[in-house]
Amino acid sequence: MSTEVKDSEARAKAAQHLEAERPSLEFGGAWDYAPAPEARDHVRLEKAYRLFIDGRFVAAKSRRTFPTINPATEEILARVDEAGAADVDAAVRAAEEAGRKRWSRLAPAERGKYIYRIARLLQEKSREFAVLETLNGGKPIKESRDVDVPLAVAHFFYHAGWADKLAYAFPRHRVAPVGVCGQIIPWNFPLLMAAWKIAPALACGNTVVLKPAETTPLTALHLARVVQEADLPPGVVNIVTGAGETGAHLVNHPRVRKIAFTGSTEVGKIIQRALAGTDKRLTLELGGKAANIIFEDAPLDQAVEGIVNGIYFNQGHVCCAGSRLLVQESVAEAVLAKLANRVATLRLGDPLDKNTDVGAINSKMQLTKIRELVAAGIDEGAQIHQSSCAIPEKGFWFPPTFFTGVAQSHRIAREEIFGPVLAVMTFRTPEEAVEKANNIPYGLSAGVWTDKGSKIFKITAKMRAGVVWANTFNKFDPASPFGGYKESGFGREGGVHGLRGYVELE
Ligand code: NAI
Ligand code: MG
């Protein structure tokens, strides 16, 4: 009894003290951060970038080039060669010859050494790559620095380790490479996707022709320099830049043995149709519309951080983004109040600033698409909630946004927006949550937030999605396979599962 009194006295005193010590916030509103820009001169840009074929940078025979810009300022960073049919052909032939004469003949442990060397060089040049990724793609420097580049490095390290252990990955088989792999990647994680594609292919003894996305070719071309510096045999890695047409040349080239594609479901379908009836192998990693499910027993503050990370990370340009929030009705009001507060604190602006949370939209085209879907959300009767943050005058920007009053039939609940836009829906029972989460043509990822371990196992097992996170979101590891169900594609990347797409088993 007496201690209780003491305690409460102490608490009252402490509270008085705090009150006196608390700094006044009454001097002109919110505290502002001072600008903290990362230096641009970590990276030396060329005026013009050539294709990387057979170990050398060569001018495109097509004689065509295209500009690549910084989406945060619309400044032209460089001009880049556009590979035509003859250029793609040269790259594929170089890859074929390098595979036959050199790469596939090397002892697997030797191949591993080269991949380790790429990993180490990339790690040494982390800052340069992070700055370049942010300049060319618009993502915040803290993401390129802390997520994209370290994960790309980790991917090379991880797969270097597999190079001489394929017999353990596929026991009772003779393991052979597939041959030349054509790899087509998107603009949301340009360097990371290059690593996801190149590292397992090389570890399994294949050679590659990689086509980066047309808006973000620069980090892949800088990776080509790393490949040179690592002294890889010429032709093992080739990089051809260009848009969809260049990609189509690669898909349709008769000497390509496998296509690995990450991008839109629309283009994935075109590629699958093009390869039907051929003996080329195919893996597709396509769109998503993930459900992020918040149960009433979840730690709500952490869940709100997970919601924010799920949809506003990388401006929502994430195939596995948690773009559909399913929140249990009993806590919906509390969660949405917390979410609104949190969204108001997100800092949008200069992607090179270390305090920026939300960077630029990758391209004008993508901004147009986001605007169109947001307009559809308003037209169809959902309520829009949007951060009132200031929008820079130049460049492509979209404020963090969420919609309430969303019906499952709304376009914003069904289509991949690929922007910082969240559709919020509610549910009452776990069964209803599962039903709603799976009621979508996509199946790439999902998230479940609850305090109960048994509920985690029960719900995650019912998700028709390739990756399911529990009490976290958007976590990646090279040892963990990633890929989809349904219209999100097929095949896995990462982990032992990811090797399967790059080997012939006899
Ligand atoms: P996209 O699918 O057209 O582009 C991805 C890659 O495919 C790029 O390298 C592109 O040059 C290449 N490509 C385009 N057409 C091709 C063809 N016919 N044959 C071979 N390669 C081809 O994606 P886009 O147009 O940049 O974005 C449109 C929408 O797609 C986005 O709004 C988003 O919803 C979705 N998307 C999804 C991604 C994901 O990771 N799930 C990545 C990029 C876009
Ligand atoms: Mg497209």
Side-chain angles (χ1 to χ4, degrees):
M1 185 69 181
S2 63
T3 53
E4 246 176 61
V5 171
K6 258 195 210 150
D7 273 353
S8 68
E9 273 170 9
R11 269 205 301 273
K13 262 198 189 147
Q16 263 176 8
H17 182 69
L18 264 181
E19 200 53 50
E21 290 287 291
R22 187 171 292 151
S24 162
L25 293 174
E26 307 295 316
F27 56 87
W31 290 6
D32 251 339
Y33 286 67
E38 179 60 279
R40 251 184 90 141
D41 53 15
H42 289 298
V43 53
R44 212 195 60 198
L45 284 169
E46 309 284 336
K47 276 207 169 63
Y49 284 84
R50 306 293 179 219
L51 309 175
F52 185 63
I53 297 177
D54 208 15
R56 293 182 306 127
F57 288 94
V58 295
K61 292 177 187 150
S62 75
R63 294 170 162 274
R64 285 195 300 265
T65 65
F66 60 96
T68 190
I69 65 165
N70 174 351
T73 60
E74 299 173 61
E75 159 207 10
I76 293 181
L77 295 173
R79 293 197 71 86
V80 180
D81 277 19
E82 180 188 326
D87 300 300
V88 171
D89 182 60
V92 171
R93 283 173 193 279
E96 195 182 43
E97 191 169 306
R100 199 181 53 240
K101 293 195 180 151
R102 294 185 283 269
W103 194 243
S104 70
R105 291 192 182 176
L106 273 182
E110 292 302 311
R111 287 202 298 261
K113 285 186 199 168
Y114 283 106
I115 306 171
Y116 274 121
R117 215 179 281 166
I118 295 176
R120 281 197 302 267
L121 286 167
L122 194 56
Q123 195 168 39
E124 278 167 21
K125 298 175 198 291
S126 289
R127 176 130 18 167
E128 172 185 338
F129 273 92
V131 170
L132 187 58
E133 196 72 311
T134 285
L135 276 177
N136 199 196
K139 64 174 68 198
I141 187 73
K142 71 174 177 191
E143 291 179 6
S144 42
R145 181 195 63 198
D146 298 347
V147 182
D148 296 62
V149 177
L151 274 176
V153 169
H155 237 77
F156 281 108
F157 273 124
Y158 174 80
H159 284 96
W162 270 123
D164 62 350
K165 299 174 195 70
L166 296 175
Y168 299 100
F170 305 104
R172 296 178 301 282
H173 288 284
R174 213 180 76 79
V175 184
V178 174
V180 178
C181 300
Q183 308 183 309
I184 299 168
I185 57 173
W187 40 262
N188 51 344
F189 293 91
L191 177 69
L192 183 59
M193 288 303 105
W196 277 32
K197 295 285 181 279
I198 294 173
L202 297 193
C204 295
N206 306 284
T207 55
V208 307
V209 179
L210 176 92
K211 195 202 80 65
E214 54 271 39
T215 57
T216 54
L218 296 185
T219 44
L221 292 166
H222 273 242
L223 182 63
R225 290 192 191 157
V226 166
V227 165
Q228 264 183 335
E229 227 177 292
D231 212 15
L232 249 77
V236 172
V237 173
N238 304 272
I239 296 179
V240 291
T241 41
E245 207 182 305
T246 307
H249 291 315
L250 190 53
V251 167
N252 295 317
H253 196 291
R255 306 184 93 89
V256 168
R257 302 304 308 143
K258 180 217 160 78
I259 292 290
F261 173 78
T262 299
S264 62
T265 295
E266 182 196 349
V267 173
K269 286 179 183 178
I270 294 173
I271 293 176
Q272 195 173 11
R273 261 183 237 120
L275 297 191
T278 74
D279 63 352
K280 273 181 214 167
R281 302 175 56 156
L282 175 64
T283 46
L284 295 175
E285 200 265 272
L286 310 174
K289 191 77 186 174
N292 202 0
I293 307 174
I294 317 289
F295 284 102
E296 60 190 1
D297 56 21
L300 295 188
D301 288 315
Q302 274 151 272
V304 168
E305 288 310 305
I307 296 166
V308 167
N309 175 37
I311 188 65
Y312 303 121
F313 169 64
N314 200 27
Q315 297 72 249
H317 301 328
V318 183
C319 48
C320 52
S323 51
R324 289 185 299 148
L325 177 65
L326 295 175
V327 54
Q328 198 154 14
E329 221 174 74
S330 48
V331 291
E333 209 174 303
V335 167
L336 291 176
K338 284 175 191 287
L339 181 63
N341 278 335
R342 186 66 179 87
V343 166
T345 68
L346 291 175
R347 299 170 53 83
L348 176 147
D350 181 5
L352 276 177
D353 192 307
K354 292 164 201 151
N355 291 319
T356 291
D357 300 308
V358 181
I361 298 303
N362 185 266
S363 66
K364 195 171 195 172
M365 193 183 90
Q366 189 57 29
L367 181 58
T368 306
K369 180 183 164 176
I370 295 168
R371 285 185 174 149
E372 185 210 318
L373 277 159
V374 166
I378 296 168
D379 281 350
E380 289 184 314
Q383 286 87 55
I384 187 167
H385 309 262
Q386 209 160 42
S387 162
S388 58
C389 59
I391 300 287
E393 266 170 32
K394 278 229 159 126
F396 315 126
W397 306 91
F398 201 84
T401 300
F402 67 91
F403 277 100
T404 53
V406 179
Q408 285 192 80
S409 57
H410 287 168
R411 284 184 67 194
I412 52 169
R414 308 204 59 78
E415 294 181 31
E416 185 177 52
I417 302 174
F418 228 59
V421 182
L422 175 68
V424 183
M425 288 165 279
T426 58
F427 67 90
R428 288 185 181 168
T429 63
E431 292 71 26
E432 189 187 344
V434 169
E435 183 78 25
K436 283 184 167 165
N438 288 335
N439 182 18
I440 193 93
Y442 294 113
L444 194 55
S445 67
V448 178
W449 296 79
T450 167
D451 196 32
K452 308 272 183 301
S454 56
K455 209 189 251 172
I456 289 175
F457 286 116
K458 203 167 160 186
I459 303 294
T460 54
K462 289 185 178 153
M463 289 294 110
R464 290 284 292 163
V467 181
V468 189
W469 289 288
N471 293 334
T472 187
F473 210 93
N474 274 342
K475 284 275 186 296
F476 304 94
D477 189 293
S480 173
F482 184 92
Y485 281 90
K486 302 191 275 187
E487 292 202 10
S488 292
F490 47 78
R492 294 292 177 264
E493 297 187 284
V496 66
H497 305 70
L499 302 172
R500 187 64 193 87
Y502 289 100
V503 292
E504 294 288 358
L505 299 180
E506 290 158 26

